[in-house]
Amino acid sequence: MAALFRGCRNFYKRSHKHVELTLVSCRSMASKTPVGFIGLGNMGTPMARNLLKHGYPVIATDVFPESCKEIQDSGAQILDCPAEVADKADRIITMLPSSPNVIEVYTGPNGILKKIKKGTLLIDSSTIDPAVSKEMAVAAEKMGAVFMDAPVSGGVGAASLAKLTFMVGGVEEEFNAAQELLTCMGANVVYCGQVGSGQAAKICNNMLLAIGMIGTAETMNLGIRLGLDPKLLAEILNMSSGRCWSSDKYNPVPGVMEGVPSANNYQGGFGTKLMAKDLGFAQSTATSTRTPIPLGSLAHQIYRIMCAHGYSNKDFSSVFQFLQEEGYTDKTSQ
């Protein structure tokens, strides 16, 4: 059906007669077909739920069967492996933790490409090495399918509210077909260029996010040590030139804001180990392009150290807690 929709767009280029009616008909027909979704973690589950809310039948799977229950209760059909999903759906979205997971899900013994249909549209919203996205695109093309990378920004809260930002890389002619699904899950869907460019944009965004979060955590910690009330300090920052997303929307200090991980012992949100992974991509791509990233490199080291000190599964804003505890340790040792 994805191939049918793309065929309709080609028809538009050949003839203007009855174009609007034809495109509406094709979109309606395509929308009635199931959408595959693979990867039902903290991000994948609310994303898949939003597809269901928009009337798309969802066929899903996850390596952990217990992760499937919530979306199954919402009306999704659960299958045993990615290959079975590919056999039933010609539009598939993947949301996975890392490059090795993506490689396994697409090319493994029970992977998508084992039973993929020609014309299938594959949208990977994982944050992975851009080189892996390019490899998957080549592998998909050999099977007559189309692969696009579409990593996201916004976190679990934005995923639940369908307010994610998608950064899309791939063949431009396929962007509208991808956008139809992505707009059900996000507020912004931006075409970035060829395959891998979505990942490049995401890596740059997350490097800035990490640097900004560390700066916010350092600032808040210093202000508290100087006797300032954290809520007052946050209010001052957010009406001054130091204001940023980490201070205004995702403050890392417990008790300053409601509905953020710092208000819940840093549970949920975007894990420290995932931030360390993304900063590793920034480091490797900076090395290959001979780009100086002194603050990005330091942020990478800080998040790696945090992982080694038990923060791996806490939200990345727990860098405030890490810095606070490190300061007390230093004081005690003096």
Side-chain angles (χ1 to χ4, degrees):
M1 192 57 68
L4 172 63
F5 182 51
R6 289 193 287 276
C8 291
R9 291 202 309 280
N10 291 333
F11 171 80
Y12 176 83
K13 296 176 183 178
R14 294 194 298 269
S15 171
H16 292 286
K17 186 177 181 180
H18 305 307
V19 165
E20 184 176 353
L21 177 62
T22 302
L23 288 176
V24 169
S25 174
C26 287
R27 184 175 291 278
S28 175
M29 291 172 65
S31 297
K32 291 179 181 178
T33 64
V35 176
F37 204 105
I38 301 170
L40 299 170
N42 290 336
M43 294 290 290
T45 293
M47 289 168 66
R49 190 185 302 114
N50 283 323
L51 287 171
L52 288 166
K53 288 179 180 177
H54 280 80
Y56 291 90
V58 171
I59 298 175
T61 192
D62 191 277
V63 68
F64 299 108
E66 61 272 18
S67 299
C68 301
K69 187 179 187 309
E70 184 177 344
I71 199 67
Q72 185 175 31
D73 291 343
S74 297
Q77 180 184 356
I78 303 300
L79 298 179
D80 289 335
C81 66
E84 291 186 11
V85 173
D87 190 48
K88 301 291 184 181
D90 60 9
R91 294 177 293 175
I92 301 172
I93 298 167
T94 51
M95 187 62 172
L96 303 161
S98 66
S99 296
N101 298 123
V102 170
I103 293 170
E104 177 67 19
V105 162
Y106 279 90
T107 65
N110 294 309
I112 292 170
L113 298 183
K114 293 299 180 183
K115 290 191 176 181
I116 198 167
K117 304 170 186 176
K118 288 187 176 180
T120 294
L121 177 62
L122 303 167
I123 303 172
D124 181 40
S125 288
S126 317
T127 299
I128 59 173
D129 189 328
V132 173
S133 292
K134 294 175 183 178
E135 290 174 13
M136 295 303 100
V138 171
E141 186 178 12
K142 290 179 180 178
M143 304 300 293
V146 176
F147 177 96
M148 305 187 83
D149 61 307
V152 305
S153 178
V156 175
S160 299
L161 297 172
K163 291 185 177 180
L164 293 167
T165 292
F166 287 89
M167 294 154 268
V168 184
V171 180
E172 188 170 7
E173 289 76 14
E174 305 296 338
F175 177 64
N176 286 341
Q179 189 176 33
E180 178 196 348
L181 297 178
L182 299 180
T183 50
C184 297
M185 302 177 286
N188 304 293
V189 182
V190 183
Y191 180 69
C192 299
Q194 63 184 354
V195 170
S197 62
Q199 299 294 349
K202 175 62 186 293
I203 289 169
C204 291
N205 177 80
N206 275 23
M207 183 175 73
L208 180 58
L209 175 61
I211 293 169
M213 180 57 76
I214 293 170
T216 300
E218 287 185 357
T219 297
M220 294 297 296
N221 192 37
L222 176 60
I224 292 168
R225 296 288 181 86
L226 291 172
L228 292 171
D229 176 80
K231 285 188 176 182
L232 175 63
L233 177 56
E235 183 179 349
I236 292 169
L237 292 175
N238 293 331
M239 64 175 67
S240 304
S241 56
R243 178 176 177 266
C244 65
W245 186 84
S246 295
S247 68
D248 188 32
K249 302 294 184 183
Y250 210 85
N251 198 284
V253 180
V256 170
M257 294 181 66
E258 297 293 331
V260 294
S262 62
N264 187 35
N265 195 30
Y266 301 104
Q267 298 304 304
F270 185 60
T272 293
K273 63 182 177 183
L274 295 178
M275 179 58 84
K277 177 202 72 172
D278 292 356
L279 289 167
F281 293 145
Q283 184 68 68
S284 62
T285 54
T287 299
S288 65
T289 57
R290 298 183 179 181
T291 305
I293 54 165
L295 293 182
S297 296
L298 181 57
H300 183 212
Q301 293 304 314
I302 289 171
Y303 278 104
R304 288 181 64 192
I305 292 169
M306 287 176 64
C307 289
H309 284 75
Y311 288 83
S312 291
N313 295 320
K314 289 189 174 185
D315 180 73
F316 79 106
S317 63
S318 63
V319 67
F320 170 78
Q321 187 180 61
F322 172 73
L323 292 172
Q324 192 179 44
E325 292 176 352
E326 285 295 299
Y328 282 125
T329 300
D330 291 343
K331 183 177 178 181
T332 302
S333 63
Q334 289 177 354

